[in-house]
Amino acid sequence: MSSPSDPPNIVRAGSVAAEEGRYPAPFDAEGLSFGRDLGRAAGSERFGVWHEVLPPGRRTSRAHAHSDEEEAVYVLAGPVVLRWAPRGGAFTESVLETGDFVSFPAGTGVAHHLLNPGPGTATLLVMGTRASADRCTYPEDPDLEVWRAENRPQRCWLDEAPLPWPARAATPRLHLRPWQPHEARALWGFARANAESLQPWMPWAWSVPSVSAYLGLVTDWAKAALERRELVFGIFTPDGQPLGNVGLHPRGGPGSLEVGYWLAESARGRGYVTEATAAMVQLAIRCIGVERVELHCHPENQRSAAVARRLGFTYEATLPRRVADGRGGRHDVMVHSLYAEQLDASPAAAFGVRAWDPLGRVITLAKP
Ligand SMILES: CC(C)(COP(=O)(O)OP(=O)(O)OC[C@H]1O[C@@H](n2cnc3c(N)ncnc32)[C@H](O)[C@@H]1OP(=O)(O)O)[C@@H](O)C(=O)NCCC(=O)NCCS
């Protein structure tokens, strides 16, 4: 029984309905477990938790492996049979009894699922992290793989190597690429020269510490891009003059990335950031595969809100006191979003964007 004094993240026993799991049509003939999504009901953001009842003769899912999401299962009432196989290898079976626990780390390619051969009903607590860039492989189901390649290309994990995030990109007027370690001094000087005009809107600009701090920053960005967590590019003219910075940051919760940017004062008023942001939106949705790009700005930052409007973002909300202002206080934040299904019809799709992976191969920006 819920009580009016409950905090919002309690889910009381029996308050979440069980739903029978099924794959989308045309693979929906088979009923899977009856799952209660406790994680979402309780507001859990970074991992999912399901209470699953598995009737005799059923399986939790088709055998699959995730690129980025880790899963784990605790057997509340067994036994169940774990079927698993290393990538490209044969399947093996292990019996899991009540109280047994199994985890499936991400990226190993070990395909797995659980079956209940009966006669009793099995109950499981299934947990999994959420990762916006996650992809999945179904080694025993070529038909499902073909369907997914047509319908969810960004979610397919067909080979061992993870899809690389873009290493650089170009638009008609701009080159977008990471700052290099030898450019740390130039970036520091560039940020310092523009700090005063950035301070009202970007808290970091109150402290532009040292060249070595910027060397650390450039190195961190390179690592984050290789690990497919965050993508920060300098905005340059084709002949290499720096204009500003643009990035995709993992701050907006599962399935989303937040785009952020700034321009040197001398580069404003020419549409450069609109063009660079359009490119990042296309990369986020068509290459990285997020469901949503968010754009956050100070409610008084009209030039930034204008970028969101120009590209077809939708204003969603103004959240009170969400962001540190760099001087010990906090300010409200305006949230705009652009969802994957809105991209094609949005002005953000009108910009020609080319992108390359770290080996210099062209990345095809497929429609989501
Ligand atoms: C936010 C910020 C990046 C916006 O810069 P901006 O120059 O206004 O944005 P754009 O580069 O997209 O340029 C758009 C302007 O160029 C004009 N423009 C000129 N040529 C253009 C072209 N070819 N295409 C599009 N716009 C063009 C537009 O009319 C518009 O000007 P207007 O607002 O006077 O109508 C910039 O003000 C800034 O760096 N501010 C400080 C940091 C900051 O606030 N960052 C965002 C934090 S949320």
Side-chain angles (χ1 to χ4, degrees), residues 173 197-198 201-202 261-263 268-274 296-297 301 303-304 307 310:
R173 297 185 298 168
S197 77
L198 300 175
W201 319 119
M202 313 207 85
Y261 43 72
W262 59 272
L263 282 178
R268 295 177 196 165
R270 294 182 222 171
Y272 288 146
V273 135
T274 298
H296 293 192
C297 66
N301 194 345
R303 294 193 78 94
S304 190
V307 174
R310 230 177 264 130

PDB file of all heavy atoms in Angstrom, residues 173 197-198 201-202 261-263 268-274 296-297 301 303-304 307 310, ligand 1:
ATOM      1  N   ARG A 173      30.734  24.996 -44.607  1.00  0.00           N
ATOM      2  CA  ARG A 173      31.676  26.074 -44.261  1.00  0.00           C
ATOM      3  C   ARG A 173      32.635  25.719 -43.128  1.00  0.00           C
ATOM      4  O   ARG A 173      33.496  26.526 -42.777  1.00  0.00           O
ATOM      5  CB  ARG A 173      30.885  27.328 -43.836  1.00  0.00           C
ATOM      6  CG  ARG A 173      30.022  27.918 -44.931  1.00  0.00           C
ATOM      7  CD  ARG A 173      29.376  29.203 -44.470  1.00  0.00           C
ATOM      8  NE  ARG A 173      28.482  28.989 -43.332  1.00  0.00           N
ATOM      9  CZ  ARG A 173      27.970  29.950 -42.587  1.00  0.00           C
ATOM     10  NH1 ARG A 173      28.286  31.211 -42.829  1.00  0.00           N
ATOM     11  NH2 ARG A 173      27.158  29.666 -41.586  1.00  0.00           N
ATOM     12  N   SER A 197      32.907  37.068 -22.336  1.00  0.00           N
ATOM     13  CA  SER A 197      31.600  36.999 -23.015  1.00  0.00           C
ATOM     14  C   SER A 197      30.916  35.647 -22.798  1.00  0.00           C
ATOM     15  O   SER A 197      29.727  35.501 -23.062  1.00  0.00           O
ATOM     16  CB  SER A 197      31.756  37.264 -24.506  1.00  0.00           C
ATOM     17  OG  SER A 197      32.276  36.125 -25.153  1.00  0.00           O
ATOM     18  N   LEU A 198      31.684  34.656 -22.330  1.00  0.00           N
ATOM     19  CA  LEU A 198      31.088  33.335 -22.090  1.00  0.00           C
ATOM     20  C   LEU A 198      30.566  33.201 -20.661  1.00  0.00           C
ATOM     21  O   LEU A 198      29.671  32.396 -20.385  1.00  0.00           O
ATOM     22  CB  LEU A 198      32.130  32.231 -22.341  1.00  0.00           C
ATOM     23  CG  LEU A 198      32.721  32.169 -23.757  1.00  0.00           C
ATOM     24  CD1 LEU A 198      33.834  31.111 -23.817  1.00  0.00           C
ATOM     25  CD2 LEU A 198      31.648  31.839 -24.775  1.00  0.00           C
ATOM     26  N   TRP A 201      26.967  32.633 -19.419  1.00  0.00           N
ATOM     27  CA  TRP A 201      26.238  31.455 -19.900  1.00  0.00           C
ATOM     28  C   TRP A 201      26.980  30.152 -19.658  1.00  0.00           C
ATOM     29  O   TRP A 201      26.378  29.082 -19.717  1.00  0.00           O
ATOM     30  CB  TRP A 201      25.958  31.587 -21.402  1.00  0.00           C
ATOM     31  CG  TRP A 201      25.554  32.955 -21.814  1.00  0.00           C
ATOM     32  CD1 TRP A 201      26.201  33.769 -22.685  1.00  0.00           C
ATOM     33  CD2 TRP A 201      24.410  33.694 -21.361  1.00  0.00           C
ATOM     34  NE1 TRP A 201      25.543  34.966 -22.817  1.00  0.00           N
ATOM     35  CE2 TRP A 201      24.438  34.946 -22.008  1.00  0.00           C
ATOM     36  CE3 TRP A 201      23.360  33.424 -20.466  1.00  0.00           C
ATOM     37  CZ2 TRP A 201      23.468  35.916 -21.800  1.00  0.00           C
ATOM     38  CZ3 TRP A 201      22.393  34.396 -20.264  1.00  0.00           C
ATOM     39  CH2 TRP A 201      22.457  35.623 -20.916  1.00  0.00           C
ATOM     40  N   MET A 202      28.287  30.210 -19.438  1.00  0.00           N
ATOM     41  CA  MET A 202      29.066  28.984 -19.306  1.00  0.00           C
ATOM     42  C   MET A 202      29.907  29.069 -18.031  1.00  0.00           C
ATOM     43  O   MET A 202      30.926  29.777 -17.992  1.00  0.00           O
ATOM     44  CB  MET A 202      29.969  28.791 -20.530  1.00  0.00           C
ATOM     45  CG  MET A 202      29.198  29.002 -21.827  1.00  0.00           C
ATOM     46  SD  MET A 202      29.870  28.117 -23.225  1.00  0.00           S
ATOM     47  CE  MET A 202      29.141  26.539 -23.069  1.00  0.00           C
ATOM     48  N   TYR A 261      27.754  24.342 -26.976  1.00  0.00           N
ATOM     49  CA  TYR A 261      28.617  25.058 -27.930  1.00  0.00           C
ATOM     50  C   TYR A 261      28.979  26.437 -27.420  1.00  0.00           C
ATOM     51  O   TYR A 261      28.327  26.985 -26.534  1.00  0.00           O
ATOM     52  CB  TYR A 261      27.901  25.204 -29.283  1.00  0.00           C
ATOM     53  CG  TYR A 261      26.446  25.588 -29.140  1.00  0.00           C
ATOM     54  CD1 TYR A 261      26.065  26.865 -28.731  1.00  0.00           C
ATOM     55  CD2 TYR A 261      25.443  24.641 -29.353  1.00  0.00           C
ATOM     56  CE1 TYR A 261      24.728  27.193 -28.569  1.00  0.00           C
ATOM     57  CE2 TYR A 261      24.100  24.963 -29.188  1.00  0.00           C
ATOM     58  CZ  TYR A 261      23.757  26.253 -28.799  1.00  0.00           C
ATOM     59  OH  TYR A 261      22.436  26.579 -28.618  1.00  0.00           O
ATOM     60  N   TRP A 262      30.025  26.975 -27.997  1.00  0.00           N
ATOM     61  CA  TRP A 262      30.308  28.400 -27.832  1.00  0.00           C
ATOM     62  C   TRP A 262      31.130  28.867 -29.025  1.00  0.00           C
ATOM     63  O   TRP A 262      31.810  28.072 -29.669  1.00  0.00           O
ATOM     64  CB  TRP A 262      31.017  28.721 -26.525  1.00  0.00           C
ATOM     65  CG  TRP A 262      32.348  28.053 -26.294  1.00  0.00           C
ATOM     66  CD1 TRP A 262      32.574  26.847 -25.724  1.00  0.00           C
ATOM     67  CD2 TRP A 262      33.649  28.589 -26.613  1.00  0.00           C
ATOM     68  NE1 TRP A 262      33.913  26.581 -25.658  1.00  0.00           N
ATOM     69  CE2 TRP A 262      34.605  27.639 -26.198  1.00  0.00           C
ATOM     70  CE3 TRP A 262      34.101  29.781 -27.193  1.00  0.00           C
ATOM     71  CZ2 TRP A 262      35.987  27.836 -26.355  1.00  0.00           C
ATOM     72  CZ3 TRP A 262      35.465  29.977 -27.351  1.00  0.00           C
ATOM     73  CH2 TRP A 262      36.392  29.020 -26.926  1.00  0.00           C
ATOM     74  N   LEU A 263      31.019  30.162 -29.299  1.00  0.00           N
ATOM     75  CA  LEU A 263      31.769  30.749 -30.402  1.00  0.00           C
ATOM     76  C   LEU A 263      32.616  31.893 -29.877  1.00  0.00           C
ATOM     77  O   LEU A 263      32.230  32.586 -28.929  1.00  0.00           O
ATOM     78  CB  LEU A 263      30.817  31.346 -31.441  1.00  0.00           C
ATOM     79  CG  LEU A 263      30.114  30.431 -32.426  1.00  0.00           C
ATOM     80  CD1 LEU A 263      29.200  31.266 -33.320  1.00  0.00           C
ATOM     81  CD2 LEU A 263      31.116  29.645 -33.277  1.00  0.00           C
ATOM     82  N   ARG A 268      30.571  35.309 -34.103  1.00  0.00           N
ATOM     83  CA  ARG A 268      29.104  35.230 -33.915  1.00  0.00           C
ATOM     84  C   ARG A 268      28.373  35.995 -35.022  1.00  0.00           C
ATOM     85  O   ARG A 268      28.949  36.832 -35.696  1.00  0.00           O
ATOM     86  CB  ARG A 268      28.731  35.788 -32.532  1.00  0.00           C
ATOM     87  CG  ARG A 268      29.323  34.909 -31.437  1.00  0.00           C
ATOM     88  CD  ARG A 268      29.063  35.416 -30.022  1.00  0.00           C
ATOM     89  NE  ARG A 268      29.985  34.738 -29.107  1.00  0.00           N
ATOM     90  CZ  ARG A 268      30.249  35.102 -27.862  1.00  0.00           C
ATOM     91  NH1 ARG A 268      29.645  36.161 -27.350  1.00  0.00           N
ATOM     92  NH2 ARG A 268      31.111  34.432 -27.133  1.00  0.00           N
ATOM     93  N   GLY A 269      27.113  35.655 -35.202  1.00  0.00           N
ATOM     94  CA  GLY A 269      26.274  36.393 -36.156  1.00  0.00           C
ATOM     95  C   GLY A 269      26.414  35.931 -37.586  1.00  0.00           C
ATOM     96  O   GLY A 269      25.991  36.618 -38.511  1.00  0.00           O
ATOM     97  N   ARG A 270      26.997  34.764 -37.794  1.00  0.00           N
ATOM     98  CA  ARG A 270      27.151  34.284 -39.181  1.00  0.00           C
ATOM     99  C   ARG A 270      26.584  32.881 -39.388  1.00  0.00           C
ATOM    100  O   ARG A 270      26.833  32.247 -40.397  1.00  0.00           O
ATOM    101  CB  ARG A 270      28.636  34.266 -39.551  1.00  0.00           C
ATOM    102  CG  ARG A 270      29.203  35.663 -39.590  1.00  0.00           C
ATOM    103  CD  ARG A 270      30.633  35.648 -39.999  1.00  0.00           C
ATOM    104  NE  ARG A 270      31.372  36.571 -39.169  1.00  0.00           N
ATOM    105  CZ  ARG A 270      32.669  36.678 -39.144  1.00  0.00           C
ATOM    106  NH1 ARG A 270      33.417  35.884 -39.878  1.00  0.00           N
ATOM    107  NH2 ARG A 270      33.266  37.556 -38.363  1.00  0.00           N
ATOM    108  N   GLY A 271      25.913  32.375 -38.389  1.00  0.00           N
ATOM    109  CA  GLY A 271      25.278  31.064 -38.555  1.00  0.00           C
ATOM    110  C   GLY A 271      26.201  29.885 -38.348  1.00  0.00           C
ATOM    111  O   GLY A 271      25.828  28.737 -38.612  1.00  0.00           O
ATOM    112  N   TYR A 272      27.413  30.131 -37.846  1.00  0.00           N
ATOM    113  CA  TYR A 272      28.363  29.021 -37.702  1.00  0.00           C
ATOM    114  C   TYR A 272      27.882  27.982 -36.688  1.00  0.00           C
ATOM    115  O   TYR A 272      28.023  26.783 -36.881  1.00  0.00           O
ATOM    116  CB  TYR A 272      29.734  29.529 -37.258  1.00  0.00           C
ATOM    117  CG  TYR A 272      30.494  30.270 -38.325  1.00  0.00           C
ATOM    118  CD1 TYR A 272      31.330  31.339 -37.989  1.00  0.00           C
ATOM    119  CD2 TYR A 272      30.418  29.908 -39.671  1.00  0.00           C
ATOM    120  CE1 TYR A 272      32.047  32.022 -38.953  1.00  0.00           C
ATOM    121  CE2 TYR A 272      31.130  30.590 -40.640  1.00  0.00           C
ATOM    122  CZ  TYR A 272      31.944  31.653 -40.270  1.00  0.00           C
ATOM    123  OH  TYR A 272      32.647  32.316 -41.225  1.00  0.00           O
ATOM    124  N   VAL A 273      27.331  28.476 -35.556  1.00  0.00           N
ATOM    125  CA  VAL A 273      26.943  27.510 -34.537  1.00  0.00           C
ATOM    126  C   VAL A 273      25.691  26.739 -34.951  1.00  0.00           C
ATOM    127  O   VAL A 273      25.560  25.556 -34.645  1.00  0.00           O
ATOM    128  CB  VAL A 273      26.805  28.176 -33.152  1.00  0.00           C
ATOM    129  CG1 VAL A 273      25.541  27.728 -32.426  1.00  0.00           C
ATOM    130  CG2 VAL A 273      27.998  27.768 -32.302  1.00  0.00           C
ATOM    131  N   THR A 274      24.817  27.388 -35.669  1.00  0.00           N
ATOM    132  CA  THR A 274      23.636  26.672 -36.182  1.00  0.00           C
ATOM    133  C   THR A 274      24.106  25.529 -37.083  1.00  0.00           C
ATOM    134  O   THR A 274      23.629  24.385 -36.978  1.00  0.00           O
ATOM    135  CB  THR A 274      22.737  27.654 -36.956  1.00  0.00           C
ATOM    136  OG1 THR A 274      22.293  28.660 -36.030  1.00  0.00           O
ATOM    137  CG2 THR A 274      21.533  26.957 -37.555  1.00  0.00           C
ATOM    138  N   HIS A 296      20.399  22.578 -23.736  1.00  0.00           N
ATOM    139  CA  HIS A 296      20.095  23.282 -22.494  1.00  0.00           C
ATOM    140  C   HIS A 296      20.661  24.692 -22.553  1.00  0.00           C
ATOM    141  O   HIS A 296      21.804  24.861 -22.979  1.00  0.00           O
ATOM    142  CB  HIS A 296      20.736  22.574 -21.292  1.00  0.00           C
ATOM    143  CG  HIS A 296      20.148  21.220 -21.014  1.00  0.00           C
ATOM    144  ND1 HIS A 296      20.394  20.532 -19.854  1.00  0.00           N
ATOM    145  CD2 HIS A 296      19.306  20.434 -21.734  1.00  0.00           C
ATOM    146  CE1 HIS A 296      19.754  19.380 -19.876  1.00  0.00           C
ATOM    147  NE2 HIS A 296      19.093  19.299 -21.013  1.00  0.00           N
ATOM    148  N   CYS A 297      19.883  25.660 -22.086  1.00  0.00           N
ATOM    149  CA  CYS A 297      20.477  26.998 -21.993  1.00  0.00           C
ATOM    150  C   CYS A 297      19.820  27.798 -20.872  1.00  0.00           C
ATOM    151  O   CYS A 297      18.734  27.459 -20.387  1.00  0.00           O
ATOM    152  CB  CYS A 297      20.397  27.745 -23.322  1.00  0.00           C
ATOM    153  SG  CYS A 297      18.748  28.163 -23.876  1.00  0.00           S
ATOM    154  N   ASN A 301      19.398  33.344 -22.159  1.00  0.00           N
ATOM    155  CA  ASN A 301      20.360  33.231 -23.267  1.00  0.00           C
ATOM    156  C   ASN A 301      19.608  33.132 -24.594  1.00  0.00           C
ATOM    157  O   ASN A 301      19.436  32.072 -25.183  1.00  0.00           O
ATOM    158  CB  ASN A 301      21.256  32.003 -23.063  1.00  0.00           C
ATOM    159  CG  ASN A 301      22.470  32.031 -23.977  1.00  0.00           C
ATOM    160  OD1 ASN A 301      22.516  32.793 -24.946  1.00  0.00           O
ATOM    161  ND2 ASN A 301      23.449  31.200 -23.672  1.00  0.00           N
ATOM    162  N   ARG A 303      20.280  34.127 -27.602  1.00  0.00           N
ATOM    163  CA  ARG A 303      20.993  33.711 -28.818  1.00  0.00           C
ATOM    164  C   ARG A 303      21.089  32.190 -28.874  1.00  0.00           C
ATOM    165  O   ARG A 303      21.040  31.590 -29.940  1.00  0.00           O
ATOM    166  CB  ARG A 303      22.378  34.347 -28.884  1.00  0.00           C
ATOM    167  CG  ARG A 303      22.330  35.841 -29.038  1.00  0.00           C
ATOM    168  CD  ARG A 303      23.683  36.394 -29.416  1.00  0.00           C
ATOM    169  NE  ARG A 303      23.980  36.188 -30.820  1.00  0.00           N
ATOM    170  CZ  ARG A 303      23.749  37.084 -31.777  1.00  0.00           C
ATOM    171  NH1 ARG A 303      23.209  38.239 -31.463  1.00  0.00           N
ATOM    172  NH2 ARG A 303      24.054  36.828 -33.021  1.00  0.00           N
ATOM    173  N   SER A 304      21.238  31.568 -27.711  1.00  0.00           N
ATOM    174  CA  SER A 304      21.321  30.113 -27.697  1.00  0.00           C
ATOM    175  C   SER A 304      19.944  29.491 -27.964  1.00  0.00           C
ATOM    176  O   SER A 304      19.818  28.543 -28.752  1.00  0.00           O
ATOM    177  CB  SER A 304      21.869  29.647 -26.346  1.00  0.00           C
ATOM    178  OG  SER A 304      22.157  28.284 -26.403  1.00  0.00           O
ATOM    179  N   VAL A 307      19.233  29.367 -31.547  1.00  0.00           N
ATOM    180  CA  VAL A 307      19.865  28.256 -32.276  1.00  0.00           C
ATOM    181  C   VAL A 307      18.931  27.050 -32.241  1.00  0.00           C
ATOM    182  O   VAL A 307      18.681  26.392 -33.267  1.00  0.00           O
ATOM    183  CB  VAL A 307      21.243  27.898 -31.661  1.00  0.00           C
ATOM    184  CG1 VAL A 307      21.824  26.651 -32.323  1.00  0.00           C
ATOM    185  CG2 VAL A 307      22.199  29.082 -31.751  1.00  0.00           C
ATOM    186  N   ARG A 310      15.960  27.672 -34.517  1.00  0.00           N
ATOM    187  CA  ARG A 310      16.360  27.655 -35.936  1.00  0.00           C
ATOM    188  C   ARG A 310      16.499  26.232 -36.467  1.00  0.00           C
ATOM    189  O   ARG A 310      16.267  25.965 -37.623  1.00  0.00           O
ATOM    190  CB  ARG A 310      17.711  28.370 -36.040  1.00  0.00           C
ATOM    191  CG  ARG A 310      17.766  29.432 -37.108  1.00  0.00           C
ATOM    192  CD  ARG A 310      19.116  30.123 -37.078  1.00  0.00           C
ATOM    193  NE  ARG A 310      19.080  31.345 -36.322  1.00  0.00           N
ATOM    194  CZ  ARG A 310      19.951  31.669 -35.361  1.00  0.00           C
ATOM    195  NH1 ARG A 310      20.917  30.848 -35.013  1.00  0.00           N
ATOM    196  NH2 ARG A 310      19.834  32.809 -34.724  1.00  0.00           N
TER     197      ARG A 310
HETATM  198  C1  LIG B   1      25.161  31.025 -28.296  1.00  0.00           C
HETATM  199  C2  LIG B   1      26.057  31.457 -29.463  1.00  0.00           C
HETATM  200  C3  LIG B   1      26.951  30.292 -29.851  1.00  0.00           C
HETATM  201  C4  LIG B   1      25.128  31.848 -30.613  1.00  0.00           C
HETATM  202  O1  LIG B   1      25.909  32.439 -31.614  1.00  0.00           O
HETATM  203  P1  LIG B   1      25.213  33.083 -32.889  1.00  0.00           P
HETATM  204  O2  LIG B   1      26.285  33.647 -33.716  1.00  0.00           O
HETATM  205  O3  LIG B   1      24.060  33.911 -32.494  1.00  0.00           O
HETATM  206  O4  LIG B   1      24.593  31.797 -33.627  1.00  0.00           O
HETATM  207  P2  LIG B   1      24.892  31.355 -35.088  1.00  0.00           P
HETATM  208  O5  LIG B   1      26.344  31.136 -35.266  1.00  0.00           O
HETATM  209  O6  LIG B   1      24.004  30.238 -35.394  1.00  0.00           O
HETATM  210  O7  LIG B   1      24.480  32.634 -35.947  1.00  0.00           O
HETATM  211  C5  LIG B   1      23.149  33.050 -36.062  1.00  0.00           C
HETATM  212  C6  LIG B   1      23.140  34.516 -36.396  1.00  0.00           C
HETATM  213  O8  LIG B   1      23.883  34.706 -37.587  1.00  0.00           O
HETATM  214  C7  LIG B   1      23.039  35.263 -38.600  1.00  0.00           C
HETATM  215  N1  LIG B   1      23.514  34.659 -39.866  1.00  0.00           N
HETATM  216  C8  LIG B   1      24.312  35.291 -40.742  1.00  0.00           C
HETATM  217  N2  LIG B   1      24.615  34.451 -41.751  1.00  0.00           N
HETATM  218  C9  LIG B   1      23.980  33.290 -41.504  1.00  0.00           C
HETATM  219  C10 LIG B   1      23.917  32.066 -42.186  1.00  0.00           C
HETATM  220  N3  LIG B   1      24.585  31.861 -43.328  1.00  0.00           N
HETATM  221  N4  LIG B   1      23.185  31.070 -41.646  1.00  0.00           N
HETATM  222  C11 LIG B   1      22.499  31.264 -40.501  1.00  0.00           C
HETATM  223  N5  LIG B   1      22.537  32.406 -39.805  1.00  0.00           N
HETATM  224  C12 LIG B   1      23.269  33.438 -40.313  1.00  0.00           C
HETATM  225  C13 LIG B   1      21.644  34.909 -38.182  1.00  0.00           C
HETATM  226  O9  LIG B   1      20.694  35.798 -38.719  1.00  0.00           O
HETATM  227  C14 LIG B   1      21.763  35.046 -36.682  1.00  0.00           C
HETATM  228  O10 LIG B   1      21.812  36.375 -36.312  1.00  0.00           O
HETATM  229  P3  LIG B   1      20.588  37.092 -35.535  1.00  0.00           P
HETATM  230  O11 LIG B   1      20.413  36.306 -34.270  1.00  0.00           O
HETATM  231  O12 LIG B   1      21.072  38.457 -35.317  1.00  0.00           O
HETATM  232  O13 LIG B   1      19.428  36.938 -36.450  1.00  0.00           O
HETATM  233  C15 LIG B   1      26.946  32.641 -29.077  1.00  0.00           C
HETATM  234  O14 LIG B   1      26.138  33.732 -28.775  1.00  0.00           O
HETATM  235  C16 LIG B   1      27.868  32.342 -27.927  1.00  0.00           C
HETATM  236  O15 LIG B   1      28.941  31.774 -28.105  1.00  0.00           O
HETATM  237  N6  LIG B   1      27.457  32.762 -26.703  1.00  0.00           N
HETATM  238  C17 LIG B   1      28.226  32.532 -25.515  1.00  0.00           C
HETATM  239  C18 LIG B   1      28.291  31.057 -25.141  1.00  0.00           C
HETATM  240  C19 LIG B   1      26.930  30.448 -25.022  1.00  0.00           C
HETATM  241  O16 LIG B   1      25.980  31.090 -24.649  1.00  0.00           O
HETATM  242  N7  LIG B   1      26.844  29.164 -25.364  1.00  0.00           N
HETATM  243  C20 LIG B   1      25.611  28.416 -25.281  1.00  0.00           C
HETATM  244  C21 LIG B   1      25.366  27.989 -23.916  1.00  0.00           C
HETATM  245  S1  LIG B   1      23.777  27.216 -23.794  1.00  0.00           S
END
